[in-house]
Amino acid sequence: MVEEIVVNPVTRIEGHAKITIHLNEDGSVREARFHVTDFRGFEKFCEGRPFYEMPSITSRICGICPVSHLLASAKACDDLVAVETPRTAVLLRRLMHMGQIIQSHALSFFYLSSPDFLLGMDSDPSRRNILGLAEKHPEIAKQGVWLRKFGQSIIESLAGKRIHSSDWIVPGGVKTPLSKEKAEAILSAIPKAVETALNAVTLFSKTLESLGDNVGDFGDFPSYYMGLVTRDGGLEHYDGRIRIMSSDGKIVADQLDPSKYFEYIGEAVEDWSYMKFPYYKPAGYPGGAYRVGPLARLNVSSRCGTRIADGLLKEFKKLGGNGVVQNTFMYHYARLIEIVYCVEKAEEILRDPEIFDMNIQAKASLNRREGTGVIEAPRGTLIHHYRVDEQGRISWVNLIIATVNNNLAFNRAVAQVAKKYVNGRTLSEGMLNRVEAVVRALDPCLSCATHAIGEMPLKILLYDSENNLVDEVGRG
Amino acid sequence: MSKPIELTIDGRKVVAEEGETILKAAKKNGIYVPTLCYLEGVSSFGGCRLCMVEIKGSPRLFASCITPVAEGMEVLTDSERLRRYRKWAVELLLAERPHVCSVCVANGSCELQQLATELGVDHLRVDREWTDYEVDLTHERFAYDPNRCILCTRCIRVCDEVEGVHTLDLMLRGKNSKVVFDLDENWGFSQSCTSCGKCSAACPVGALYVKGKPLSEVKKKDLVSFIMERRSGK
Ligand code: SF4
Ligand code: SF4
Ligand code: FES
Ligand SMILES: [Fe+2]
């Protein structure tokens, strides 16, 4: 008798996202499958559109991290026009990127995840959110809100008060320079931002201690790790080359050309999912499963390149054997370290003598028929790859979204949690809570992970082999 | 001097010149009437029906941009009925082709979008047509996306009456009409186009635009009337 449990988060986005857990005949968990929205339709939708519309179009893929798509898309367009983007424009784009990572990580940690471990994994779900947090730990909630605002204020300083800043970034550069006043305003908030981020690091260390062995429930498994690094192996989010590390800490590939991703990344398909399953080609499928995102980036990076973050990275690497941290829960930790890094980096960029230079856009029209843009989005490596016809109309698009890069990892992490908490013919609330928590740790870019400020409308249904409902837990 | 004509608009006594349209008389007196295909400085076309008004004594509605004033006329520019019809007019325009504002270059500076907001169009009561016209990017500076065209013919009139070359015209009929260059040539290969850009400045939506420029910098509704004013030596 094979049973199927369906965890179906009702999402606000179109399409669907759900978790199905597949049992063996003896009731133990065989595997878990994480299904998310179909991005293929989007790729089709772009065909025939002028290439320079792509930053604007793709930044609508999601309202949570539009800046990521904007940047990856703009870089792919830069590639198509094949001109050198002025250094100041690159600095300003990087600055915006730092702002968005800060706000995205702050949202993930403070708003969505910290209620789980600060209020207790099994506390009342209707209070287990930022509002409940504000009641019990007002200081922490305030810090989270402030940090997120700080990140957003960087984006606004550059592009104005729009969520979709799509007409600020253009192929070949950016539209408007940064004003001195706005730069000053960001700089003056930097010390508080560093302090706030470091407070969160301390808070998280304490949480780690109190959780003890339970941390193992969060998806502790080996995989490959992928991320962009600088020429000397340092942490990199905007440019750089691809480095891949194995679960035992060996760098198995380094300084790979990101625009040649298809040479080393395979995209497998499964008949039960619209989403592809990227894997590291030399290791085969599904053995070549890799993780991306904050945890992967810190694993593959030899250094951060900023003072405080470098110290934190050293401590971080001690948490895993061979310097590789495999536990999915540590995504949170990695996120916080990245916030510190981004704040330090933002300061460095703002103090660059060329930051106010007026040469911010190289003007050019189409010069190539194929272009690729790869960045490290908050959630991991994001690839935009376009082909155009002779007029510059998109003829083919491939997008590998960060969340899709983590596809195999999601399934493994959820399966691991399920293995521990699903047993027999009844489901526990604890299982629901822990599935939620591990999904949040991976921070998929889906409205389901952010829905209703932290409370995920989840449903787990347990059917027997004759399709009779034998148990059901859920909320939302 | 033509003979002055007295009429009332929205209960106000106004004086207009003979041969003048109701729209002009209203505008001169600071009375707002929504318009879309009308463009100051070129001839009127009367196609969009946004400028409809009621005239006492007649059950039908009149496009004020092409209806001349008459002595003693009682005009109503705003009523429940007019708003209902105008709303429908905008909805039908939106439904005729795929207007996806969120990814349109004109987002935020589009006259159709502004009217939709003004008239409270928050959904469409008819099914949309998802036309699949090819975008024309062959011109070095300009782009043409027929999927966003509302067939207002402002571009055609400007090209003909102001620039004087008549590169643009309409092909086919009804909702299948299409603005074309020369004899349905790609823009970049048009023999007559002088690349003046007036059509892009006049287009109320994101159908004709300057590549790589935000629409707020390109759309200049007043450009045409300004040119015509200078020409007439005023
Ligand atoms: S650019 Fe000028 S000449 Fe060419 S089609 Fe437009 S209005 Fe006519
Ligand atoms: S291209 Fe623009 S100006 Fe010309 S008819 Fe279409 S909507 Fe009107
Ligand atoms: S403005 Fe009068 S009919 Fe279009
Ligand atoms: Fe996203």
Side-chain angles (χ1 to χ4, degrees), chain B residues 35-38 46-51 63 65:
Chain B
T35 57
L36 192 51
C37 68
Y38 175 80
C48 74
R49 311 318 271 190
L50 256 297
C51 67
C65 70

Side-chain angles (χ1 to χ4, degrees), chain B residues 144 148-156 179 202-205 207-208:
Chain B
Y144 168 43
R148 294 175 184 149
C149 173
I150 56 170
L151 303 171
C152 71
T153 73
R154 269 158 59 162
C155 56
I156 298 174
V179 171
C203 181
V205 292
L208 296 173

Side-chain angles (χ1 to χ4, degrees), chain A residues 197-462:
Chain A
L198 285 175
N199 280 344
V201 171
T202 312
L203 173 80
F204 187 77
S205 309
K206 280 197 203 129
T207 307
L208 271 187
E209 279 165 32
S210 69
L211 277 172
D213 286 347
N214 286 330
V215 169
D217 299 350
F218 282 88
D220 195 350
F221 56 90
S223 72
Y224 287 89
Y225 297 94
M226 183 174 86
L228 291 172
V229 291
T230 58
R231 285 274 172 197
D232 61 351
L235 184 62
E236 173 63 46
H237 294 87
Y238 175 78
D239 238 325
R241 321 265 295 175
I242 293 282
R243 177 182 273 186
I244 295 169
M245 182 179 264
S246 66
S247 59
D248 52 3
K250 272 201 212 74
I251 296 170
V252 294
D254 203 6
Q255 300 297 322
L256 299 173
D257 180 351
S259 68
K260 300 261 162 32
Y261 67 92
F262 43 84
E263 286 175 1
Y264 45 88
I265 294 174
E267 291 180 84
V269 279
E270 295 277 6
D271 55 9
W272 50 267
S273 176
Y274 293 121
M275 204 159 71
K276 287 194 177 174
F277 294 83
Y279 61 98
Y280 175 49
K281 263 190 187 168
Y285 177 80
Y290 59 84
R291 277 181 270 184
V292 298
L295 180 83
R297 285 194 287 261
L298 293 197
N299 275 338
V300 301
S301 299
S302 314
R303 68 189 62 78
C304 289
T306 60
R307 193 177 55 85
I308 308 172
D310 265 330
L312 295 170
L313 182 65
K314 276 210 189 83
E315 291 305 308
F316 179 80
K317 289 201 183 271
K318 285 184 198 154
L319 291 169
N322 303 319
V324 192
V325 184
Q326 313 255 20
N327 193 324
T328 301
F329 193 60
M330 297 308 173
Y331 265 92
H332 294 308
Y333 201 178
R335 233 163 250 137
L336 297 175
I337 295 173
E338 281 203 326
I339 295 181
V340 175
Y341 164 83
C342 290
V343 175
E344 287 183 291
K345 199 74 190 171
E347 176 169 20
E348 190 186 304
I349 294 170
L350 285 163
R351 296 206 188 281
D352 191 287
E354 286 178 27
I355 193 70
F356 300 117
D357 199 286
M358 298 300 275
N359 179 22
I360 49 173
Q361 191 189 351
K363 297 234 164 82
S365 49
L366 189 71
N367 285 309
R368 271 192 205 135
R369 297 284 286 274
E370 188 160 356
T372 314
V374 182
I375 64 156
E376 282 295 327
R379 294 165 181 84
T381 317
L382 171 64
I383 302 169
H384 280 219
H385 184 186
Y386 313 149
R387 285 192 199 124
V388 297
D389 67 10
E390 72 289 348
Q391 289 188 31
R393 296 176 299 199
I394 295 287
S395 58
W396 177 88
V397 173
N398 192 30
L399 307 176
I400 303 186
I401 314 283
T403 299
V404 180
N405 270 317
N406 270 336
N407 200 359
L408 285 164
F410 271 106
N411 299 337
R412 286 205 192 167
V414 173
Q416 204 185 30
V417 174
K419 273 188 179 130
K420 178 148 179 186
Y421 288 92
V422 176
N423 216 334
R425 292 167 67 85
T426 52
L427 296 164
S428 65
E429 177 84 1
M431 138 106 200
L432 188 62
N433 295 341
R434 277 154 188 84
V435 167
E436 273 183 326
V438 78
V439 168
R440 285 200 190 113
L442 278 160
D443 189 25
C445 178
L446 300 166
S447 295
C448 68
T450 60
H451 196 83
I453 336 177
E455 187 193 346
M456 257 195 290
L458 269 189
K459 215 166 212 163
I460 307 182
L461 302 169
L462 182 60

